[in-house]
mmCIF file of all heavy atoms in Angstrom:
data_model
loop_
_atom_site.group_PDB
_atom_site.id
_atom_site.type_symbol
_atom_site.label_atom_id
_atom_site.label_comp_id
_atom_site.label_asym_id
_atom_site.label_seq_id
_atom_site.Cartn_x
_atom_site.Cartn_y
_atom_site.Cartn_z
ATOM 1 N N GLU Y 339 -3.735 16.459 -16.890
ATOM 2 C CA GLU Y 339 -2.566 16.939 -16.143
ATOM 3 C C GLU Y 339 -1.372 16.098 -16.473
ATOM 4 O O GLU Y 339 -0.177 16.524 -16.273
ATOM 5 C CB GLU Y 339 -2.767 16.885 -14.645
ATOM 6 C CG GLU Y 339 -3.877 17.868 -14.111
ATOM 7 C CD GLU Y 339 -3.908 17.769 -12.538
ATOM 8 O OE1 GLU Y 339 -3.036 18.330 -11.926
ATOM 9 O OE2 GLU Y 339 -4.815 17.102 -12.058
ATOM 10 N N LEU Y 340 -1.626 14.863 -17.002
ATOM 11 C CA LEU Y 340 -0.546 14.012 -17.430
ATOM 12 C C LEU Y 340 -0.896 13.532 -18.874
ATOM 13 O O LEU Y 340 -1.997 13.210 -19.112
ATOM 14 C CB LEU Y 340 -0.369 12.884 -16.366
ATOM 15 C CG LEU Y 340 0.591 11.771 -16.712
ATOM 16 C CD1 LEU Y 340 2.066 12.290 -16.639
ATOM 17 C CD2 LEU Y 340 0.405 10.480 -15.790
ATOM 18 N N ALA Y 341 0.155 13.201 -19.577
ATOM 19 C CA ALA Y 341 -0.053 12.680 -20.974
ATOM 20 C C ALA Y 341 1.000 11.597 -21.174
ATOM 21 O O ALA Y 341 1.962 11.453 -20.471
ATOM 22 C CB ALA Y 341 0.071 13.776 -22.042
ATOM 23 N N GLY Y 343 4.038 9.703 -22.323
ATOM 24 C CA GLY Y 343 5.320 10.327 -22.504
ATOM 25 C C GLY Y 343 5.809 11.175 -21.370
ATOM 26 O O GLY Y 343 6.892 11.683 -21.301
ATOM 27 N N GLY Y 344 4.891 11.398 -20.425
ATOM 28 C CA GLY Y 344 5.138 12.286 -19.316
ATOM 29 C C GLY Y 344 5.898 11.526 -18.257
ATOM 30 O O GLY Y 344 5.991 10.262 -18.180
ATOM 31 N N VAL Y 345 6.372 12.268 -17.237
ATOM 32 C CA VAL Y 345 7.041 11.782 -16.052
ATOM 33 C C VAL Y 345 6.247 11.936 -14.879
ATOM 34 O O VAL Y 345 5.961 13.123 -14.475
ATOM 35 C CB VAL Y 345 8.479 12.490 -15.904
ATOM 36 C CG1 VAL Y 345 9.213 11.961 -14.709
ATOM 37 C CG2 VAL Y 345 9.385 12.276 -17.080
ATOM 38 N N VAL Y 346 5.982 10.916 -14.127
ATOM 39 C CA VAL Y 346 5.319 10.851 -12.897
ATOM 40 C C VAL Y 346 6.350 10.998 -11.804
ATOM 41 O O VAL Y 346 7.246 10.142 -11.745
ATOM 42 C CB VAL Y 346 4.436 9.643 -12.650
ATOM 43 C CG1 VAL Y 346 3.731 9.748 -11.331
ATOM 44 C CG2 VAL Y 346 3.293 9.541 -13.722
ATOM 45 N N THR Y 347 6.353 11.979 -10.942
ATOM 46 C CA THR Y 347 7.303 12.149 -9.809
ATOM 47 C C THR Y 347 6.626 11.916 -8.526
ATOM 48 O O THR Y 347 5.454 12.211 -8.403
ATOM 49 C CB THR Y 347 7.946 13.575 -9.812
ATOM 50 O OG1 THR Y 347 7.096 14.488 -9.327
ATOM 51 C CG2 THR Y 347 8.398 13.914 -11.215
ATOM 52 N N GLU Y 348 7.331 11.309 -7.599
ATOM 53 C CA GLU Y 348 6.755 11.141 -6.251
ATOM 54 C C GLU Y 348 7.869 11.059 -5.255
ATOM 55 O O GLU Y 348 9.069 10.637 -5.541
ATOM 56 C CB GLU Y 348 5.964 9.823 -6.345
ATOM 57 C CG GLU Y 348 5.282 9.548 -4.895
ATOM 58 C CD GLU Y 348 4.321 10.567 -4.459
ATOM 59 O OE1 GLU Y 348 4.677 11.634 -4.248
ATOM 60 O OE2 GLU Y 348 3.254 10.155 -4.286
ATOM 61 N N LYS Y 368 6.806 7.530 -17.670
ATOM 62 C CA LYS Y 368 8.064 7.206 -16.898
ATOM 63 C C LYS Y 368 7.897 7.634 -15.583
ATOM 64 O O LYS Y 368 6.914 8.332 -15.155
ATOM 65 C CB LYS Y 368 9.267 7.940 -17.570
ATOM 66 C CG LYS Y 368 9.553 7.482 -19.012
ATOM 67 C CD LYS Y 368 10.735 8.172 -19.610
ATOM 68 C CE LYS Y 368 10.926 7.653 -20.983
ATOM 69 N NZ LYS Y 368 12.018 8.392 -21.636
ATOM 70 N N CYS Y 369 8.867 7.276 -14.647
ATOM 71 C CA CYS Y 369 8.694 7.603 -13.206
ATOM 72 C C CYS Y 369 10.055 8.075 -12.654
ATOM 73 O O CYS Y 369 11.176 7.568 -12.902
ATOM 74 C CB CYS Y 369 8.361 6.314 -12.512
ATOM 75 S SG CYS Y 369 7.824 6.531 -10.731
ATOM 76 N N HIS Y 370 9.987 9.145 -11.789
ATOM 77 C CA HIS Y 370 11.123 9.714 -11.097
ATOM 78 C C HIS Y 370 10.782 9.718 -9.649
ATOM 79 O O HIS Y 370 9.743 10.344 -9.264
ATOM 80 C CB HIS Y 370 11.395 11.140 -11.642
ATOM 81 C CG HIS Y 370 12.647 11.721 -10.873
ATOM 82 N ND1 HIS Y 370 13.903 11.500 -11.254
ATOM 83 C CD2 HIS Y 370 12.636 12.602 -9.767
ATOM 84 C CE1 HIS Y 370 14.722 12.144 -10.406
ATOM 85 N NE2 HIS Y 370 14.002 12.754 -9.529
ATOM 86 N N VAL Y 409 11.132 17.889 -2.852
ATOM 87 C CA VAL Y 409 12.091 17.758 -4.090
ATOM 88 C C VAL Y 409 11.304 17.224 -5.281
ATOM 89 O O VAL Y 409 11.376 17.545 -6.325
ATOM 90 C CB VAL Y 409 13.293 16.872 -3.616
ATOM 91 C CG1 VAL Y 409 14.141 16.553 -4.887
ATOM 92 C CG2 VAL Y 409 14.131 17.620 -2.565
ATOM 93 N N ALA Y 410 10.481 16.139 -4.843
ATOM 94 C CA ALA Y 410 9.685 15.477 -5.901
ATOM 95 C C ALA Y 410 8.728 16.423 -6.615
ATOM 96 O O ALA Y 410 8.504 16.398 -7.821
ATOM 97 C CB ALA Y 410 8.907 14.324 -5.351
ATOM 98 N N ARG Y 411 8.187 17.370 -5.782
ATOM 99 C CA ARG Y 411 7.200 18.397 -6.414
ATOM 100 C C ARG Y 411 8.022 19.288 -7.351
ATOM 101 O O ARG Y 411 7.456 19.627 -8.391
ATOM 102 C CB ARG Y 411 6.616 19.255 -5.268
ATOM 103 C CG ARG Y 411 5.599 20.292 -5.625
ATOM 104 C CD ARG Y 411 5.006 21.072 -4.588
ATOM 105 N NE ARG Y 411 4.152 20.327 -3.759
ATOM 106 C CZ ARG Y 411 4.411 19.929 -2.525
ATOM 107 N NH1 ARG Y 411 5.628 20.163 -2.057
ATOM 108 N NH2 ARG Y 411 3.519 19.198 -1.855
ATOM 109 N N ARG Y 412 9.241 19.681 -6.958
ATOM 110 C CA ARG Y 412 10.019 20.528 -7.875
ATOM 111 C C ARG Y 412 10.379 19.808 -9.211
ATOM 112 O O ARG Y 412 10.515 20.324 -10.211
ATOM 113 C CB ARG Y 412 11.317 20.981 -7.184
ATOM 114 C CG ARG Y 412 11.182 22.053 -6.048
ATOM 115 C CD ARG Y 412 12.377 22.786 -5.854
ATOM 116 N NE ARG Y 412 13.434 22.018 -5.299
ATOM 117 C CZ ARG Y 412 13.711 21.633 -4.094
ATOM 118 N NH1 ARG Y 412 12.695 21.903 -3.201
ATOM 119 N NH2 ARG Y 412 14.719 20.926 -3.731
ATOM 120 N N ARG Y 413 10.644 18.446 -9.096
ATOM 121 C CA ARG Y 413 11.075 17.721 -10.269
ATOM 122 C C ARG Y 413 9.967 17.667 -11.231
ATOM 123 O O ARG Y 413 10.199 17.756 -12.423
ATOM 124 C CB ARG Y 413 11.428 16.221 -9.845
ATOM 125 C CG ARG Y 413 12.670 16.193 -8.995
ATOM 126 C CD ARG Y 413 13.880 16.724 -9.696
ATOM 127 N NE ARG Y 413 15.043 16.584 -8.903
ATOM 128 C CZ ARG Y 413 15.608 17.638 -8.327
ATOM 129 N NH1 ARG Y 413 15.099 18.904 -8.464
ATOM 130 N NH2 ARG Y 413 16.681 17.542 -7.468
ATOM 131 N N ALA Y 414 8.668 17.636 -10.830
ATOM 132 C CA ALA Y 414 7.543 17.686 -11.763
ATOM 133 C C ALA Y 414 7.522 19.034 -12.448
ATOM 134 O O ALA Y 414 7.219 19.066 -13.632
ATOM 135 C CB ALA Y 414 6.228 17.431 -10.916
ATOM 136 N N LEU Y 415 7.796 19.978 -11.737
ATOM 137 C CA LEU Y 415 7.848 21.484 -12.400
ATOM 138 C C LEU Y 415 8.959 21.479 -13.423
ATOM 139 O O LEU Y 415 8.836 22.047 -14.481
ATOM 140 C CB LEU Y 415 7.936 22.483 -11.319
ATOM 141 C CG LEU Y 415 6.751 22.749 -10.354
ATOM 142 C CD1 LEU Y 415 7.127 23.632 -9.240
ATOM 143 C CD2 LEU Y 415 5.581 23.041 -11.055
ATOM 144 N N GLU Y 416 10.154 20.883 -13.070
ATOM 145 C CA GLU Y 416 11.215 20.916 -13.984
ATOM 146 C C GLU Y 416 10.936 20.141 -15.307
ATOM 147 O O GLU Y 416 11.243 20.533 -16.399
ATOM 148 C CB GLU Y 416 12.504 20.371 -13.288
ATOM 149 C CG GLU Y 416 13.008 21.308 -12.212
ATOM 150 C CD GLU Y 416 13.876 20.605 -11.193
ATOM 151 O OE1 GLU Y 416 14.171 19.421 -11.505
ATOM 152 O OE2 GLU Y 416 14.287 21.171 -10.181
ATOM 153 N N ALA Y 417 10.228 19.012 -15.002
ATOM 154 C CA ALA Y 417 9.780 18.280 -16.313
ATOM 155 C C ALA Y 417 8.858 19.022 -17.165
ATOM 156 O O ALA Y 417 9.035 18.969 -18.319
ATOM 157 C CB ALA Y 417 9.120 16.927 -15.848
ATOM 158 N N LYS Y 418 7.996 19.810 -16.609
ATOM 159 C CA LYS Y 418 7.052 20.566 -17.324
ATOM 160 C C LYS Y 418 7.854 21.712 -18.062
ATOM 161 O O LYS Y 418 7.543 21.918 -19.219
ATOM 162 C CB LYS Y 418 6.031 21.285 -16.462
ATOM 163 C CG LYS Y 418 4.989 20.353 -15.837
ATOM 164 C CD LYS Y 418 4.059 21.083 -14.962
ATOM 165 C CE LYS Y 418 2.998 20.095 -14.424
ATOM 166 N NZ LYS Y 418 2.025 20.796 -13.477
ATOM 167 N N GLU Y 419 8.904 22.180 -17.427
ATOM 168 C CA GLU Y 419 9.641 23.298 -18.104
ATOM 169 C C GLU Y 419 10.458 22.683 -19.197
ATOM 170 O O GLU Y 419 10.555 23.315 -20.305
ATOM 171 C CB GLU Y 419 10.708 23.887 -17.067
ATOM 172 C CG GLU Y 419 9.998 24.691 -15.961
ATOM 173 C CD GLU Y 419 10.957 25.150 -14.930
ATOM 174 O OE1 GLU Y 419 12.141 24.886 -15.044
ATOM 175 O OE2 GLU Y 419 10.465 25.799 -13.937
ATOM 176 N N VAL Y 420 11.007 21.534 -19.060
ATOM 177 C CA VAL Y 420 11.764 20.804 -20.113
ATOM 178 C C VAL Y 420 10.796 20.592 -21.354
ATOM 179 O O VAL Y 420 11.117 20.863 -22.514
ATOM 180 C CB VAL Y 420 12.316 19.483 -19.671
ATOM 181 C CG1 VAL Y 420 12.802 18.689 -20.821
ATOM 182 C CG2 VAL Y 420 13.526 19.676 -18.667
ATOM 183 N N ALA Y 421 9.585 20.094 -21.035
ATOM 184 C CA ALA Y 421 8.630 19.830 -22.136
ATOM 185 C C ALA Y 421 8.223 21.135 -22.827
ATOM 186 O O ALA Y 421 8.081 21.152 -24.089
ATOM 187 C CB ALA Y 421 7.443 19.230 -21.574
ATOM 188 N N SER Y 422 8.049 22.216 -22.035
ATOM 189 C CA SER Y 422 7.750 23.486 -22.606
ATOM 190 C C SER Y 422 8.690 24.040 -23.462
ATOM 191 O O SER Y 422 8.571 24.517 -24.669
ATOM 192 C CB SER Y 422 7.331 24.465 -21.542
ATOM 193 O OG SER Y 422 7.007 25.796 -22.087
ATOM 194 N N LYS Y 423 10.078 23.930 -23.100
ATOM 195 C CA LYS Y 423 11.150 24.370 -23.929
ATOM 196 C C LYS Y 423 11.369 23.596 -25.165
ATOM 197 O O LYS Y 423 11.593 24.102 -26.298
ATOM 198 C CB LYS Y 423 12.482 24.342 -23.092
ATOM 199 C CG LYS Y 423 12.499 25.414 -21.990
ATOM 200 C CD LYS Y 423 13.723 25.280 -21.186
ATOM 201 C CE LYS Y 423 13.817 26.305 -20.017
ATOM 202 N NZ LYS Y 423 15.077 26.203 -19.183
ATOM 203 N N GLN Y 424 11.065 22.256 -25.029
ATOM 204 C CA GLN Y 424 11.218 21.439 -26.293
ATOM 205 C C GLN Y 424 10.140 21.751 -27.229
ATOM 206 O O GLN Y 424 10.377 21.850 -28.433
ATOM 207 C CB GLN Y 424 11.014 19.903 -25.876
ATOM 208 C CG GLN Y 424 12.285 19.321 -25.019
ATOM 209 C CD GLN Y 424 13.440 19.351 -25.962
ATOM 210 O OE1 GLN Y 424 13.412 19.278 -27.193
ATOM 211 N NE2 GLN Y 424 14.546 19.266 -25.403
ATOM 212 N N ARG Y 425 8.906 22.037 -26.805
ATOM 213 C CA ARG Y 425 7.803 22.491 -27.722
ATOM 214 C C ARG Y 425 8.103 23.784 -28.417
ATOM 215 O O ARG Y 425 7.953 23.917 -29.659
ATOM 216 C CB ARG Y 425 6.522 22.555 -26.908
ATOM 217 C CG ARG Y 425 5.948 21.178 -26.595
ATOM 218 C CD ARG Y 425 4.501 21.297 -26.108
ATOM 219 N NE ARG Y 425 4.372 22.124 -24.829
ATOM 220 C CZ ARG Y 425 4.475 21.523 -23.615
ATOM 221 N NH1 ARG Y 425 4.575 20.206 -23.497
ATOM 222 N NH2 ARG Y 425 4.313 22.239 -22.618
ATOM 223 N N HIS Y 437 18.816 18.733 -21.706
ATOM 224 C CA HIS Y 437 18.272 19.322 -20.488
ATOM 225 C C HIS Y 437 18.615 18.429 -19.305
ATOM 226 O O HIS Y 437 18.610 17.215 -19.342
ATOM 227 C CB HIS Y 437 16.803 19.598 -20.538
ATOM 228 C CG HIS Y 437 16.373 20.651 -21.482
ATOM 229 N ND1 HIS Y 437 16.425 22.013 -21.275
ATOM 230 C CD2 HIS Y 437 15.974 20.428 -22.746
ATOM 231 C CE1 HIS Y 437 15.996 22.530 -22.383
ATOM 232 N NE2 HIS Y 437 15.746 21.651 -23.309
ATOM 233 N N ILE Y 438 18.880 19.178 -18.113
ATOM 234 C CA ILE Y 438 19.114 18.399 -16.956
ATOM 235 C C ILE Y 438 18.186 18.867 -15.875
ATOM 236 O O ILE Y 438 17.330 19.792 -16.208
ATOM 237 C CB ILE Y 438 20.499 18.470 -16.360
ATOM 238 C CG1 ILE Y 438 20.861 19.972 -16.200
ATOM 239 C CG2 ILE Y 438 21.556 17.998 -17.372
ATOM 240 C CD1 ILE Y 438 22.284 20.351 -15.604
ATOM 241 N N ASN Y 439 18.242 18.336 -14.714
ATOM 242 C CA ASN Y 439 17.191 18.716 -13.673
ATOM 243 C C ASN Y 439 17.138 20.151 -13.459
ATOM 244 O O ASN Y 439 16.069 20.751 -13.221
ATOM 245 C CB ASN Y 439 17.601 18.092 -12.357
ATOM 246 C CG ASN Y 439 16.984 16.677 -12.254
ATOM 247 O OD1 ASN Y 439 16.269 16.228 -13.137
ATOM 248 N ND2 ASN Y 439 17.506 15.910 -11.289
ATOM 249 N N GLY Y 440 18.298 20.906 -13.489
ATOM 250 C CA GLY Y 440 18.205 22.379 -13.343
ATOM 251 C C GLY Y 440 18.073 22.815 -11.864
ATOM 252 O O GLY Y 440 17.858 23.976 -11.517
ATOM 253 N N TYR Y 441 18.450 21.878 -10.884
ATOM 254 C CA TYR Y 441 18.375 22.278 -9.503
ATOM 255 C C TYR Y 441 19.513 21.693 -8.809
ATOM 256 O O TYR Y 441 19.890 20.490 -8.944
ATOM 257 C CB TYR Y 441 17.019 21.818 -8.879
ATOM 258 C CG TYR Y 441 16.980 21.930 -7.328
ATOM 259 C CD1 TYR Y 441 16.766 23.142 -6.709
ATOM 260 C CD2 TYR Y 441 17.334 20.795 -6.579
ATOM 261 C CE1 TYR Y 441 16.854 23.180 -5.363
ATOM 262 C CE2 TYR Y 441 17.367 20.876 -5.185
ATOM 263 C CZ TYR Y 441 17.114 22.099 -4.565
ATOM 264 O OH TYR Y 441 17.031 22.161 -3.131
ATOM 265 N N SER Y 449 21.637 15.461 -12.639
ATOM 266 C CA SER Y 449 21.548 14.268 -13.450
ATOM 267 C C SER Y 449 20.621 14.519 -14.609
ATOM 268 O O SER Y 449 19.549 15.138 -14.474
ATOM 269 C CB SER Y 449 21.256 13.016 -12.743
ATOM 270 O OG SER Y 449 19.871 13.060 -12.156
ATOM 271 N N SER Y 450 20.890 13.933 -15.888
ATOM 272 C CA SER Y 450 19.935 14.034 -16.835
ATOM 273 C C SER Y 450 18.755 13.094 -16.665
ATOM 274 O O SER Y 450 18.973 11.906 -16.829
ATOM 275 C CB SER Y 450 20.664 13.696 -18.142
ATOM 276 O OG SER Y 450 21.681 14.640 -18.389
ATOM 277 N N VAL Y 451 17.633 13.656 -16.202
ATOM 278 C CA VAL Y 451 16.510 12.860 -15.866
ATOM 279 C C VAL Y 451 15.524 12.857 -17.012
ATOM 280 O O VAL Y 451 14.913 11.803 -17.356
ATOM 281 C CB VAL Y 451 15.849 13.364 -14.589
ATOM 282 C CG1 VAL Y 451 14.619 12.511 -14.253
ATOM 283 C CG2 VAL Y 451 16.890 13.188 -13.405
ATOM 284 N N PHE Y 452 15.287 14.016 -17.549
ATOM 285 C CA PHE Y 452 14.166 14.199 -18.430
ATOM 286 C C PHE Y 452 14.657 14.201 -19.937
ATOM 287 O O PHE Y 452 15.368 15.218 -20.222
ATOM 288 C CB PHE Y 452 13.355 15.493 -18.179
ATOM 289 C CG PHE Y 452 12.954 15.605 -16.611
ATOM 290 C CD1 PHE Y 452 13.536 16.526 -15.760
ATOM 291 C CD2 PHE Y 452 12.275 14.599 -16.073
ATOM 292 C CE1 PHE Y 452 13.156 16.619 -14.510
ATOM 293 C CE2 PHE Y 452 11.874 14.537 -14.732
ATOM 294 C CZ PHE Y 452 12.418 15.615 -13.930
ATOM 295 N N SER Y 453 14.257 13.306 -20.723
ATOM 296 C CA SER Y 453 14.706 13.134 -22.047
ATOM 297 C C SER Y 453 14.036 14.230 -23.002
ATOM 298 O O SER Y 453 13.021 14.832 -22.557
ATOM 299 C CB SER Y 453 14.407 11.768 -22.608
ATOM 300 O OG SER Y 453 13.168 11.453 -22.575
ATOM 301 N N SER Y 454 14.533 14.257 -24.190
ATOM 302 C CA SER Y 454 13.949 15.269 -25.132
ATOM 303 C C SER Y 454 12.575 14.998 -25.537
ATOM 304 O O SER Y 454 11.887 15.842 -26.044
ATOM 305 C CB SER Y 454 14.822 15.436 -26.351
ATOM 306 O OG SER Y 454 14.946 14.075 -27.008
ATOM 307 N N ASP Y 455 12.069 13.812 -25.370
ATOM 308 C CA ASP Y 455 10.654 13.335 -25.758
ATOM 309 C C ASP Y 455 9.705 13.518 -24.597
ATOM 310 O O ASP Y 455 8.649 13.046 -24.695
ATOM 311 C CB ASP Y 455 10.624 12.099 -26.410
ATOM 312 C CG ASP Y 455 11.053 10.930 -25.456
ATOM 313 O OD1 ASP Y 455 11.639 11.282 -24.318
ATOM 314 O OD2 ASP Y 455 10.958 9.684 -25.808
ATOM 315 N N CYS Y 456 10.205 14.061 -23.469
ATOM 316 C CA CYS Y 456 9.355 14.178 -22.241
ATOM 317 C C CYS Y 456 8.258 15.119 -22.586
ATOM 318 O O CYS Y 456 8.444 16.213 -23.129
ATOM 319 C CB CYS Y 456 10.161 14.772 -21.127
ATOM 320 S SG CYS Y 456 9.153 15.205 -19.633
ATOM 321 N N THR Y 457 6.978 14.732 -22.402
ATOM 322 C CA THR Y 457 5.821 15.505 -22.601
ATOM 323 C C THR Y 457 5.337 16.324 -21.405
ATOM 324 O O THR Y 457 4.277 17.034 -21.505
ATOM 325 C CB THR Y 457 4.628 14.661 -23.087
ATOM 326 O OG1 THR Y 457 4.328 13.758 -22.072
ATOM 327 C CG2 THR Y 457 5.096 13.857 -24.322
ATOM 328 N N GLY Y 458 6.010 16.211 -20.221
ATOM 329 C CA GLY Y 458 5.658 17.056 -19.112
ATOM 330 C C GLY Y 458 5.877 16.240 -17.901
ATOM 331 O O GLY Y 458 6.276 15.103 -17.859
ATOM 332 N N GLY Y 459 5.483 16.795 -16.703
ATOM 333 C CA GLY Y 459 5.680 16.153 -15.394
ATOM 334 C C GLY Y 459 4.406 16.268 -14.619
ATOM 335 O O GLY Y 459 3.678 17.257 -14.791
ATOM 336 N N PHE Y 460 4.134 15.354 -13.791
ATOM 337 C CA PHE Y 460 3.070 15.296 -12.884
ATOM 338 C C PHE Y 460 3.544 14.808 -11.471
ATOM 339 O O PHE Y 460 4.056 13.652 -11.457
ATOM 340 C CB PHE Y 460 1.908 14.396 -13.456
ATOM 341 C CG PHE Y 460 0.822 14.258 -12.407
ATOM 342 C CD1 PHE Y 460 -0.132 15.206 -12.276
ATOM 343 C CD2 PHE Y 460 0.555 13.025 -11.763
ATOM 344 C CE1 PHE Y 460 -1.203 15.146 -11.370
ATOM 345 C CE2 PHE Y 460 -0.409 12.831 -10.905
ATOM 346 C CZ PHE Y 460 -1.338 13.885 -10.619
ATOM 347 N N PHE Y 461 3.181 15.552 -10.400
ATOM 348 C CA PHE Y 461 3.523 15.199 -9.132
ATOM 349 C C PHE Y 461 2.418 14.327 -8.590
ATOM 350 O O PHE Y 461 1.290 14.794 -8.361
ATOM 351 C CB PHE Y 461 3.808 16.523 -8.334
ATOM 352 C CG PHE Y 461 4.047 16.201 -6.813
ATOM 353 C CD1 PHE Y 461 4.923 15.187 -6.391
ATOM 354 C CD2 PHE Y 461 3.375 16.995 -5.807
ATOM 355 C CE1 PHE Y 461 5.217 14.994 -5.047
ATOM 356 C CE2 PHE Y 461 3.671 16.748 -4.491
ATOM 357 C CZ PHE Y 461 4.499 15.766 -4.113
#
Side-chain angles (χ1 to χ4, degrees):
E339 294 183 79
L340 177 67
V345 177
V346 180
T347 74
E348 183 59 298
K368 298 179 181 179
C369 191
H370 179 84
V409 175
R411 182 181 288 108
R412 288 202 300 277
R413 294 295 177 259
L415 294 175
E416 290 163 8
K418 289 180 180 179
E419 291 175 4
V420 167
S422 177
K423 290 179 180 178
Q424 289 293 338
R425 286 192 294 269
H437 294 276
I438 58 178
N439 276 349
Y441 168 80
S449 61
S450 297
V451 175
F452 310 119
S453 60
S454 60
D455 61 351
C456 171
T457 62
F460 173 74
F461 176 45

